Amino acid sequence: RDSLWNFSIVDLAALLIRRPNEDDLLLRYDDLIEEWSAIRGEENITALLNVSRARKYIDFLETMEVERWLGPNQSAAAQALLSPALTLHLRTRVVSNEGEELGTKTRILEVAPISPSPNNKFFYGRVAGDPDYFVLSLESYQRLTLPLVETN
């Protein structure tokens, strides 16, 4: 299994989690003071954010592995990803070798089930700008869709 990407929580600026029929969840993180904020739709819900779960979520994103790479010409994957079940916008700080902040970089991950069956065990994925599709396991998808906010 191969790592999907390379980033560190130290460089995390923001994470937008988008799922169909849900308001977007925007998480921001300041590594210097280890402080999180959370906005769902237009509402600040920082008080409801499960910080421990958010930290584990980012830890998982840092080390996430794909089951296998499929290459660029995958019509079934392209079709499935027209309606993603999950889209993540990961914004990281870009820092020079001297430690100077140069701006931010956004990576967009889209994930969709391979099959509409309730017994589906695998998911197609793709990072915007990368021509290659990949397969994620059900376990990885479940970890990507864990609730990070406490419900009342």
Side-chain angles (χ1 to χ4, degrees), residues 22-57:
E22 289 183 17
D23 287 334
D24 291 352
L25 176 62
L26 175 64
L27 302 180
R28 289 194 179 99
Y29 180 69
D30 185 334
D31 184 63
L32 291 176
I33 55 176
E34 295 186 12
E35 184 175 270
W36 293 87
S37 66
I39 297 171
R40 170 153 278 150
E42 301 292 318
E43 183 183 359
N44 185 325
I45 58 165
T46 301
L48 299 176
L49 179 65
N50 183 319
V51 172
S52 172
R53 213 177 284 159
R55 177 66 198 227
K56 287 178 184 162
Y57 191 92

PDB file of all heavy atoms in Angstrom, residues 22-57:
ATOM      1  N   GLU A  22     -25.509  17.540   3.600  1.00  0.00           N
ATOM      2  CA  GLU A  22     -25.036  18.058   4.890  1.00  0.00           C
ATOM      3  C   GLU A  22     -24.414  19.425   4.647  1.00  0.00           C
ATOM      4  O   GLU A  22     -23.855  19.675   3.585  1.00  0.00           O
ATOM      5  CB  GLU A  22     -23.958  17.148   5.498  1.00  0.00           C
ATOM      6  CG  GLU A  22     -24.453  15.832   6.010  1.00  0.00           C
ATOM      7  CD  GLU A  22     -23.329  15.013   6.662  1.00  0.00           C
ATOM      8  OE1 GLU A  22     -22.267  15.582   7.000  1.00  0.00           O
ATOM      9  OE2 GLU A  22     -23.529  13.806   6.819  1.00  0.00           O
ATOM     10  N   ASP A  23     -24.489  20.292   5.664  1.00  0.00           N
ATOM     11  CA  ASP A  23     -23.756  21.545   5.579  1.00  0.00           C
ATOM     12  C   ASP A  23     -22.269  21.234   5.639  1.00  0.00           C
ATOM     13  O   ASP A  23     -21.842  20.312   6.341  1.00  0.00           O
ATOM     14  CB  ASP A  23     -24.125  22.479   6.747  1.00  0.00           C
ATOM     15  CG  ASP A  23     -25.507  23.080   6.592  1.00  0.00           C
ATOM     16  OD1 ASP A  23     -25.993  23.203   5.446  1.00  0.00           O
ATOM     17  OD2 ASP A  23     -26.108  23.433   7.620  1.00  0.00           O
ATOM     18  N   ASP A  24     -21.477  22.030   4.910  1.00  0.00           N
ATOM     19  CA  ASP A  24     -20.030  21.865   4.955  1.00  0.00           C
ATOM     20  C   ASP A  24     -19.519  22.069   6.373  1.00  0.00           C
ATOM     21  O   ASP A  24     -20.054  22.891   7.124  1.00  0.00           O
ATOM     22  CB  ASP A  24     -19.342  22.889   4.044  1.00  0.00           C
ATOM     23  CG  ASP A  24     -19.597  22.619   2.566  1.00  0.00           C
ATOM     24  OD1 ASP A  24     -20.171  21.574   2.220  1.00  0.00           O
ATOM     25  OD2 ASP A  24     -19.184  23.477   1.756  1.00  0.00           O
ATOM     26  N   LEU A  25     -18.466  21.348   6.719  1.00  0.00           N
ATOM     27  CA  LEU A  25     -17.782  21.534   7.993  1.00  0.00           C
ATOM     28  C   LEU A  25     -16.387  22.064   7.692  1.00  0.00           C
ATOM     29  O   LEU A  25     -15.610  21.422   6.985  1.00  0.00           O
ATOM     30  CB  LEU A  25     -17.689  20.213   8.764  1.00  0.00           C
ATOM     31  CG  LEU A  25     -16.909  20.261  10.089  1.00  0.00           C
ATOM     32  CD1 LEU A  25     -17.576  21.212  11.090  1.00  0.00           C
ATOM     33  CD2 LEU A  25     -16.775  18.865  10.679  1.00  0.00           C
ATOM     34  N   LEU A  26     -16.092  23.252   8.215  1.00  0.00           N
ATOM     35  CA  LEU A  26     -14.786  23.867   8.021  1.00  0.00           C
ATOM     36  C   LEU A  26     -14.033  23.847   9.342  1.00  0.00           C
ATOM     37  O   LEU A  26     -14.506  24.399  10.342  1.00  0.00           O
ATOM     38  CB  LEU A  26     -14.940  25.316   7.536  1.00  0.00           C
ATOM     39  CG  LEU A  26     -13.636  26.119   7.406  1.00  0.00           C
ATOM     40  CD1 LEU A  26     -12.731  25.506   6.350  1.00  0.00           C
ATOM     41  CD2 LEU A  26     -13.943  27.573   7.093  1.00  0.00           C
ATOM     42  N   LEU A  27     -12.882  23.185   9.345  1.00  0.00           N
ATOM     43  CA  LEU A  27     -12.019  23.154  10.520  1.00  0.00           C
ATOM     44  C   LEU A  27     -10.782  23.994  10.227  1.00  0.00           C
ATOM     45  O   LEU A  27     -10.205  23.892   9.146  1.00  0.00           O
ATOM     46  CB  LEU A  27     -11.564  21.728  10.836  1.00  0.00           C
ATOM     47  CG  LEU A  27     -12.631  20.680  11.080  1.00  0.00           C
ATOM     48  CD1 LEU A  27     -11.983  19.336  11.365  1.00  0.00           C
ATOM     49  CD2 LEU A  27     -13.524  21.088  12.233  1.00  0.00           C
ATOM     50  N   ARG A  28     -10.400  24.809  11.196  1.00  0.00           N
ATOM     51  CA  ARG A  28      -9.144  25.548  11.100  1.00  0.00           C
ATOM     52  C   ARG A  28      -8.290  25.134  12.283  1.00  0.00           C
ATOM     53  O   ARG A  28      -8.806  24.845  13.359  1.00  0.00           O
ATOM     54  CB  ARG A  28      -9.401  27.055  11.135  1.00  0.00           C
ATOM     55  CG  ARG A  28     -10.047  27.570   9.870  1.00  0.00           C
ATOM     56  CD  ARG A  28      -9.960  29.095   9.804  1.00  0.00           C
ATOM     57  NE  ARG A  28     -10.560  29.577   8.580  1.00  0.00           N
ATOM     58  CZ  ARG A  28     -11.796  30.064   8.498  1.00  0.00           C
ATOM     59  NH1 ARG A  28     -12.554  30.146   9.571  1.00  0.00           N
ATOM     60  NH2 ARG A  28     -12.265  30.479   7.351  1.00  0.00           N
ATOM     61  N   TYR A  29      -6.973  25.146  12.057  1.00  0.00           N
ATOM     62  CA  TYR A  29      -6.063  24.725  13.112  1.00  0.00           C
ATOM     63  C   TYR A  29      -4.858  25.657  13.147  1.00  0.00           C
ATOM     64  O   TYR A  29      -4.281  25.971  12.105  1.00  0.00           O
ATOM     65  CB  TYR A  29      -5.594  23.283  12.877  1.00  0.00           C
ATOM     66  CG  TYR A  29      -4.653  22.773  13.929  1.00  0.00           C
ATOM     67  CD1 TYR A  29      -5.102  22.540  15.225  1.00  0.00           C
ATOM     68  CD2 TYR A  29      -3.316  22.545  13.650  1.00  0.00           C
ATOM     69  CE1 TYR A  29      -4.246  22.081  16.210  1.00  0.00           C
ATOM     70  CE2 TYR A  29      -2.451  22.080  14.630  1.00  0.00           C
ATOM     71  CZ  TYR A  29      -2.921  21.857  15.904  1.00  0.00           C
ATOM     72  OH  TYR A  29      -2.074  21.410  16.881  1.00  0.00           O
ATOM     73  N   ASP A  30      -4.503  26.096  14.346  1.00  0.00           N
ATOM     74  CA  ASP A  30      -3.309  26.912  14.553  1.00  0.00           C
ATOM     75  C   ASP A  30      -2.339  26.081  15.376  1.00  0.00           C
ATOM     76  O   ASP A  30      -2.536  25.889  16.576  1.00  0.00           O
ATOM     77  CB  ASP A  30      -3.672  28.213  15.279  1.00  0.00           C
ATOM     78  CG  ASP A  30      -2.488  29.150  15.419  1.00  0.00           C
ATOM     79  OD1 ASP A  30      -1.329  28.663  15.424  1.00  0.00           O
ATOM     80  OD2 ASP A  30      -2.710  30.363  15.523  1.00  0.00           O
ATOM     81  N   ASP A  31      -1.285  25.597  14.734  1.00  0.00           N
ATOM     82  CA  ASP A  31      -0.349  24.695  15.407  1.00  0.00           C
ATOM     83  C   ASP A  31       0.434  25.394  16.518  1.00  0.00           C
ATOM     84  O   ASP A  31       0.778  24.771  17.513  1.00  0.00           O
ATOM     85  CB  ASP A  31       0.621  24.083  14.392  1.00  0.00           C
ATOM     86  CG  ASP A  31       1.542  23.067  15.032  1.00  0.00           C
ATOM     87  OD1 ASP A  31       1.023  22.049  15.530  1.00  0.00           O
ATOM     88  OD2 ASP A  31       2.759  23.302  15.062  1.00  0.00           O
ATOM     89  N   LEU A  32       0.700  26.685  16.363  1.00  0.00           N
ATOM     90  CA  LEU A  32       1.507  27.393  17.360  1.00  0.00           C
ATOM     91  C   LEU A  32       0.846  27.386  18.730  1.00  0.00           C
ATOM     92  O   LEU A  32       1.511  27.249  19.752  1.00  0.00           O
ATOM     93  CB  LEU A  32       1.778  28.832  16.919  1.00  0.00           C
ATOM     94  CG  LEU A  32       2.716  28.973  15.722  1.00  0.00           C
ATOM     95  CD1 LEU A  32       2.846  30.426  15.310  1.00  0.00           C
ATOM     96  CD2 LEU A  32       4.088  28.380  16.036  1.00  0.00           C
ATOM     97  N   ILE A  33      -0.471  27.540  18.749  1.00  0.00           N
ATOM     98  CA  ILE A  33      -1.187  27.546  20.028  1.00  0.00           C
ATOM     99  C   ILE A  33      -2.087  26.315  20.187  1.00  0.00           C
ATOM    100  O   ILE A  33      -2.857  26.224  21.133  1.00  0.00           O
ATOM    101  CB  ILE A  33      -2.006  28.852  20.211  1.00  0.00           C
ATOM    102  CG1 ILE A  33      -2.960  29.070  19.038  1.00  0.00           C
ATOM    103  CG2 ILE A  33      -1.079  30.040  20.395  1.00  0.00           C
ATOM    104  CD1 ILE A  33      -3.868  30.282  19.189  1.00  0.00           C
ATOM    105  N   GLU A  34      -1.972  25.384  19.222  1.00  0.00           N
ATOM    106  CA  GLU A  34      -2.753  24.137  19.229  1.00  0.00           C
ATOM    107  C   GLU A  34      -4.234  24.413  19.444  1.00  0.00           C
ATOM    108  O   GLU A  34      -4.875  23.837  20.321  1.00  0.00           O
ATOM    109  CB  GLU A  34      -2.207  23.164  20.275  1.00  0.00           C
ATOM    110  CG  GLU A  34      -0.800  22.699  19.969  1.00  0.00           C
ATOM    111  CD  GLU A  34      -0.294  21.628  20.912  1.00  0.00           C
ATOM    112  OE1 GLU A  34      -1.093  21.060  21.677  1.00  0.00           O
ATOM    113  OE2 GLU A  34       0.917  21.352  20.873  1.00  0.00           O
ATOM    114  N   GLU A  35      -4.767  25.306  18.610  1.00  0.00           N
ATOM    115  CA  GLU A  35      -6.159  25.710  18.757  1.00  0.00           C
ATOM    116  C   GLU A  35      -6.948  25.393  17.490  1.00  0.00           C
ATOM    117  O   GLU A  35      -6.495  25.681  16.387  1.00  0.00           O
ATOM    118  CB  GLU A  35      -6.234  27.210  19.051  1.00  0.00           C
ATOM    119  CG  GLU A  35      -7.651  27.691  19.321  1.00  0.00           C
ATOM    120  CD  GLU A  35      -7.653  29.151  19.732  1.00  0.00           C
ATOM    121  OE1 GLU A  35      -7.552  29.408  20.941  1.00  0.00           O
ATOM    122  OE2 GLU A  35      -7.722  30.004  18.838  1.00  0.00           O
ATOM    123  N   TRP A  36      -8.120  24.821  17.695  1.00  0.00           N
ATOM    124  CA  TRP A  36      -9.030  24.466  16.609  1.00  0.00           C
ATOM    125  C   TRP A  36     -10.204  25.432  16.585  1.00  0.00           C
ATOM    126  O   TRP A  36     -10.610  25.953  17.612  1.00  0.00           O
ATOM    127  CB  TRP A  36      -9.609  23.072  16.838  1.00  0.00           C
ATOM    128  CG  TRP A  36      -8.632  21.961  16.740  1.00  0.00           C
ATOM    129  CD1 TRP A  36      -7.838  21.483  17.739  1.00  0.00           C
ATOM    130  CD2 TRP A  36      -8.347  21.171  15.594  1.00  0.00           C
ATOM    131  NE1 TRP A  36      -7.075  20.441  17.285  1.00  0.00           N
ATOM    132  CE2 TRP A  36      -7.365  20.226  15.971  1.00  0.00           C
ATOM    133  CE3 TRP A  36      -8.819  21.167  14.284  1.00  0.00           C
ATOM    134  CZ2 TRP A  36      -6.859  19.285  15.088  1.00  0.00           C
ATOM    135  CZ3 TRP A  36      -8.314  20.223  13.409  1.00  0.00           C
ATOM    136  CH2 TRP A  36      -7.353  19.302  13.805  1.00  0.00           C
ATOM    137  N   SER A  37     -10.795  25.590  15.402  1.00  0.00           N
ATOM    138  CA  SER A  37     -12.105  26.232  15.292  1.00  0.00           C
ATOM    139  C   SER A  37     -12.911  25.426  14.286  1.00  0.00           C
ATOM    140  O   SER A  37     -12.349  24.752  13.420  1.00  0.00           O
ATOM    141  CB  SER A  37     -11.988  27.700  14.865  1.00  0.00           C
ATOM    142  OG  SER A  37     -11.483  27.790  13.556  1.00  0.00           O
ATOM    143  N   ALA A  38     -14.236  25.484  14.430  1.00  0.00           N
ATOM    144  CA  ALA A  38     -15.115  24.708  13.549  1.00  0.00           C
ATOM    145  C   ALA A  38     -16.317  25.554  13.159  1.00  0.00           C
ATOM    146  O   ALA A  38     -16.926  26.206  14.007  1.00  0.00           O
ATOM    147  CB  ALA A  38     -15.586  23.434  14.253  1.00  0.00           C
ATOM    148  N   ILE A  39     -16.647  25.529  11.877  1.00  0.00           N
ATOM    149  CA  ILE A  39     -17.813  26.245  11.360  1.00  0.00           C
ATOM    150  C   ILE A  39     -18.605  25.272  10.504  1.00  0.00           C
ATOM    151  O   ILE A  39     -18.049  24.607   9.621  1.00  0.00           O
ATOM    152  CB  ILE A  39     -17.390  27.472  10.524  1.00  0.00           C
ATOM    153  CG1 ILE A  39     -16.650  28.463  11.422  1.00  0.00           C
ATOM    154  CG2 ILE A  39     -18.594  28.117   9.853  1.00  0.00           C
ATOM    155  CD1 ILE A  39     -15.989  29.598  10.692  1.00  0.00           C
ATOM    156  N   ARG A  40     -19.892  25.139  10.793  1.00  0.00           N
ATOM    157  CA  ARG A  40     -20.783  24.308   9.978  1.00  0.00           C
ATOM    158  C   ARG A  40     -21.773  25.240   9.321  1.00  0.00           C
ATOM    159  O   ARG A  40     -22.507  25.944  10.003  1.00  0.00           O
ATOM    160  CB  ARG A  40     -21.503  23.267  10.821  1.00  0.00           C
ATOM    161  CG  ARG A  40     -22.603  22.579   9.989  1.00  0.00           C
ATOM    162  CD  ARG A  40     -22.931  21.197  10.410  1.00  0.00           C
ATOM    163  NE  ARG A  40     -21.963  20.269   9.825  1.00  0.00           N
ATOM    164  CZ  ARG A  40     -21.595  19.138  10.389  1.00  0.00           C
ATOM    165  NH1 ARG A  40     -22.068  18.794  11.555  1.00  0.00           N
ATOM    166  NH2 ARG A  40     -20.733  18.337   9.807  1.00  0.00           N
ATOM    167  N   GLY A  41     -21.770  25.257   7.988  1.00  0.00           N
ATOM    168  CA  GLY A  41     -22.587  26.237   7.278  1.00  0.00           C
ATOM    169  C   GLY A  41     -22.070  27.621   7.617  1.00  0.00           C
ATOM    170  O   GLY A  41     -20.929  27.946   7.331  1.00  0.00           O
ATOM    171  N   GLU A  42     -22.895  28.433   8.272  1.00  0.00           N
ATOM    172  CA  GLU A  42     -22.498  29.779   8.705  1.00  0.00           C
ATOM    173  C   GLU A  42     -22.291  29.857  10.216  1.00  0.00           C
ATOM    174  O   GLU A  42     -21.953  30.909  10.739  1.00  0.00           O
ATOM    175  CB  GLU A  42     -23.582  30.790   8.296  1.00  0.00           C
ATOM    176  CG  GLU A  42     -23.852  30.848   6.802  1.00  0.00           C
ATOM    177  CD  GLU A  42     -22.672  31.421   6.026  1.00  0.00           C
ATOM    178  OE1 GLU A  42     -22.077  32.413   6.489  1.00  0.00           O
ATOM    179  OE2 GLU A  42     -22.333  30.843   4.977  1.00  0.00           O
ATOM    180  N   GLU A  43     -22.507  28.738  10.916  1.00  0.00           N
ATOM    181  CA  GLU A  43     -22.528  28.752  12.384  1.00  0.00           C
ATOM    182  C   GLU A  43     -21.199  28.300  12.983  1.00  0.00           C
ATOM    183  O   GLU A  43     -20.651  27.257  12.611  1.00  0.00           O
ATOM    184  CB  GLU A  43     -23.652  27.810  12.853  1.00  0.00           C
ATOM    185  CG  GLU A  43     -23.836  27.765  14.348  1.00  0.00           C
ATOM    186  CD  GLU A  43     -24.904  26.755  14.760  1.00  0.00           C
ATOM    187  OE1 GLU A  43     -25.515  26.098  13.889  1.00  0.00           O
ATOM    188  OE2 GLU A  43     -25.117  26.630  15.974  1.00  0.00           O
ATOM    189  N   ASN A  44     -20.689  29.090  13.937  1.00  0.00           N
ATOM    190  CA  ASN A  44     -19.483  28.701  14.660  1.00  0.00           C
ATOM    191  C   ASN A  44     -19.867  27.623  15.670  1.00  0.00           C
ATOM    192  O   ASN A  44     -20.637  27.868  16.589  1.00  0.00           O
ATOM    193  CB  ASN A  44     -18.872  29.912  15.370  1.00  0.00           C
ATOM    194  CG  ASN A  44     -17.549  29.559  16.027  1.00  0.00           C
ATOM    195  OD1 ASN A  44     -17.343  28.460  16.531  1.00  0.00           O
ATOM    196  ND2 ASN A  44     -16.634  30.509  16.030  1.00  0.00           N
ATOM    197  N   ILE A  45     -19.316  26.435  15.484  1.00  0.00           N
ATOM    198  CA  ILE A  45     -19.643  25.301  16.368  1.00  0.00           C
ATOM    199  C   ILE A  45     -18.382  24.773  17.051  1.00  0.00           C
ATOM    200  O   ILE A  45     -18.325  23.593  17.412  1.00  0.00           O
ATOM    201  CB  ILE A  45     -20.372  24.186  15.594  1.00  0.00           C
ATOM    202  CG1 ILE A  45     -19.525  23.688  14.431  1.00  0.00           C
ATOM    203  CG2 ILE A  45     -21.750  24.644  15.123  1.00  0.00           C
ATOM    204  CD1 ILE A  45     -20.003  22.379  13.844  1.00  0.00           C
ATOM    205  N   THR A  46     -17.408  25.633  17.249  1.00  0.00           N
ATOM    206  CA  THR A  46     -16.146  25.221  17.873  1.00  0.00           C
ATOM    207  C   THR A  46     -16.382  24.506  19.193  1.00  0.00           C
ATOM    208  O   THR A  46     -15.714  23.510  19.497  1.00  0.00           O
ATOM    209  CB  THR A  46     -15.227  26.443  18.066  1.00  0.00           C
ATOM    210  OG1 THR A  46     -14.988  27.030  16.771  1.00  0.00           O
ATOM    211  CG2 THR A  46     -13.906  26.058  18.697  1.00  0.00           C
ATOM    212  N   ALA A  47     -17.348  24.970  19.975  1.00  0.00           N
ATOM    213  CA  ALA A  47     -17.624  24.362  21.283  1.00  0.00           C
ATOM    214  C   ALA A  47     -18.085  22.909  21.150  1.00  0.00           C
ATOM    215  O   ALA A  47     -17.938  22.123  22.094  1.00  0.00           O
ATOM    216  CB  ALA A  47     -18.671  25.181  22.036  1.00  0.00           C
ATOM    217  N   LEU A  48     -18.627  22.537  19.991  1.00  0.00           N
ATOM    218  CA  LEU A  48     -19.116  21.169  19.785  1.00  0.00           C
ATOM    219  C   LEU A  48     -18.085  20.242  19.147  1.00  0.00           C
ATOM    220  O   LEU A  48     -18.308  19.039  19.037  1.00  0.00           O
ATOM    221  CB  LEU A  48     -20.369  21.193  18.905  1.00  0.00           C
ATOM    222  CG  LEU A  48     -21.571  21.965  19.445  1.00  0.00           C
ATOM    223  CD1 LEU A  48     -22.693  21.984  18.421  1.00  0.00           C
ATOM    224  CD2 LEU A  48     -22.046  21.357  20.762  1.00  0.00           C
ATOM    225  N   LEU A  49     -16.950  20.813  18.721  1.00  0.00           N
ATOM    226  CA  LEU A  49     -15.919  20.013  18.063  1.00  0.00           C
ATOM    227  C   LEU A  49     -15.259  19.073  19.074  1.00  0.00           C
ATOM    228  O   LEU A  49     -14.825  19.497  20.142  1.00  0.00           O
ATOM    229  CB  LEU A  49     -14.853  20.921  17.444  1.00  0.00           C
ATOM    230  CG  LEU A  49     -13.702  20.197  16.737  1.00  0.00           C
ATOM    231  CD1 LEU A  49     -14.205  19.442  15.510  1.00  0.00           C
ATOM    232  CD2 LEU A  49     -12.616  21.188  16.361  1.00  0.00           C
ATOM    233  N   ASN A  50     -15.190  17.797  18.724  1.00  0.00           N
ATOM    234  CA  ASN A  50     -14.459  16.828  19.537  1.00  0.00           C
ATOM    235  C   ASN A  50     -12.992  16.928  19.116  1.00  0.00           C
ATOM    236  O   ASN A  50     -12.585  16.379  18.084  1.00  0.00           O
ATOM    237  CB  ASN A  50     -15.017  15.420  19.307  1.00  0.00           C
ATOM    238  CG  ASN A  50     -14.343  14.375  20.167  1.00  0.00           C
ATOM    239  OD1 ASN A  50     -13.139  14.390  20.360  1.00  0.00           O
ATOM    240  ND2 ASN A  50     -15.141  13.451  20.675  1.00  0.00           N
ATOM    241  N   VAL A  51     -12.211  17.679  19.897  1.00  0.00           N
ATOM    242  CA  VAL A  51     -10.829  17.999  19.531  1.00  0.00           C
ATOM    243  C   VAL A  51      -9.973  16.737  19.428  1.00  0.00           C
ATOM    244  O   VAL A  51      -9.155  16.606  18.516  1.00  0.00           O
ATOM    245  CB  VAL A  51     -10.229  19.014  20.529  1.00  0.00           C
ATOM    246  CG1 VAL A  51      -8.744  19.207  20.291  1.00  0.00           C
ATOM    247  CG2 VAL A  51     -10.962  20.337  20.423  1.00  0.00           C
ATOM    248  N   SER A  52     -10.174  15.789  20.328  1.00  0.00           N
ATOM    249  CA  SER A  52      -9.417  14.541  20.282  1.00  0.00           C
ATOM    250  C   SER A  52      -9.687  13.800  18.980  1.00  0.00           C
ATOM    251  O   SER A  52      -8.770  13.307  18.315  1.00  0.00           O
ATOM    252  CB  SER A  52      -9.788  13.676  21.481  1.00  0.00           C
ATOM    253  OG  SER A  52      -9.219  12.402  21.369  1.00  0.00           O
ATOM    254  N   ARG A  53     -10.954  13.737  18.589  1.00  0.00           N
ATOM    255  CA  ARG A  53     -11.321  13.052  17.348  1.00  0.00           C
ATOM    256  C   ARG A  53     -10.783  13.807  16.133  1.00  0.00           C
ATOM    257  O   ARG A  53     -10.328  13.190  15.163  1.00  0.00           O
ATOM    258  CB  ARG A  53     -12.839  12.916  17.268  1.00  0.00           C
ATOM    259  CG  ARG A  53     -13.242  11.646  16.563  1.00  0.00           C
ATOM    260  CD  ARG A  53     -14.726  11.456  16.531  1.00  0.00           C
ATOM    261  NE  ARG A  53     -15.243  11.014  17.810  1.00  0.00           N
ATOM    262  CZ  ARG A  53     -16.504  11.148  18.188  1.00  0.00           C
ATOM    263  NH1 ARG A  53     -17.384  11.717  17.396  1.00  0.00           N
ATOM    264  NH2 ARG A  53     -16.900  10.714  19.352  1.00  0.00           N
ATOM    265  N   ALA A  54     -10.824  15.136  16.189  1.00  0.00           N
ATOM    266  CA  ALA A  54     -10.298  15.945  15.080  1.00  0.00           C
ATOM    267  C   ALA A  54      -8.800  15.697  14.913  1.00  0.00           C
ATOM    268  O   ALA A  54      -8.303  15.556  13.794  1.00  0.00           O
ATOM    269  CB  ALA A  54     -10.582  17.424  15.313  1.00  0.00           C
ATOM    270  N   ARG A  55      -8.094  15.633  16.018  1.00  0.00           N
ATOM    271  CA  ARG A  55      -6.647  15.389  15.965  1.00  0.00           C
ATOM    272  C   ARG A  55      -6.356  14.008  15.369  1.00  0.00           C
ATOM    273  O   ARG A  55      -5.480  13.852  14.520  1.00  0.00           O
ATOM    274  CB  ARG A  55      -6.055  15.498  17.377  1.00  0.00           C
ATOM    275  CG  ARG A  55      -4.587  15.194  17.473  1.00  0.00           C
ATOM    276  CD  ARG A  55      -3.767  16.222  16.731  1.00  0.00           C
ATOM    277  NE  ARG A  55      -2.439  15.732  16.450  1.00  0.00           N
ATOM    278  CZ  ARG A  55      -1.338  16.420  16.655  1.00  0.00           C
ATOM    279  NH1 ARG A  55      -1.397  17.635  17.129  1.00  0.00           N
ATOM    280  NH2 ARG A  55      -0.182  15.912  16.355  1.00  0.00           N
ATOM    281  N   LYS A  56      -7.121  12.985  15.794  1.00  0.00           N
ATOM    282  CA  LYS A  56      -6.940  11.634  15.245  1.00  0.00           C
ATOM    283  C   LYS A  56      -7.280  11.607  13.749  1.00  0.00           C
ATOM    284  O   LYS A  56      -6.654  10.874  12.976  1.00  0.00           O
ATOM    285  CB  LYS A  56      -7.796  10.623  16.006  1.00  0.00           C
ATOM    286  CG  LYS A  56      -7.254  10.331  17.383  1.00  0.00           C
ATOM    287  CD  LYS A  56      -8.144   9.361  18.140  1.00  0.00           C
ATOM    288  CE  LYS A  56      -7.609   9.160  19.553  1.00  0.00           C
ATOM    289  NZ  LYS A  56      -8.599   8.609  20.445  1.00  0.00           N
ATOM    290  N   TYR A  57      -8.277  12.403  13.352  1.00  0.00           N
ATOM    291  CA  TYR A  57      -8.672  12.496  11.942  1.00  0.00           C
ATOM    292  C   TYR A  57      -7.499  13.011  11.105  1.00  0.00           C
ATOM    293  O   TYR A  57      -7.167  12.451  10.068  1.00  0.00           O
ATOM    294  CB  TYR A  57      -9.882  13.427  11.834  1.00  0.00           C
ATOM    295  CG  TYR A  57     -10.570  13.438  10.493  1.00  0.00           C
ATOM    296  CD1 TYR A  57     -11.623  12.579  10.246  1.00  0.00           C
ATOM    297  CD2 TYR A  57     -10.214  14.334   9.498  1.00  0.00           C
ATOM    298  CE1 TYR A  57     -12.296  12.587   9.034  1.00  0.00           C
ATOM    299  CE2 TYR A  57     -10.870  14.360   8.283  1.00  0.00           C
ATOM    300  CZ  TYR A  57     -11.907  13.484   8.051  1.00  0.00           C
ATOM    301  OH  TYR A  57     -12.562  13.504   6.845  1.00  0.00           O
TER     302      TYR A  57
END
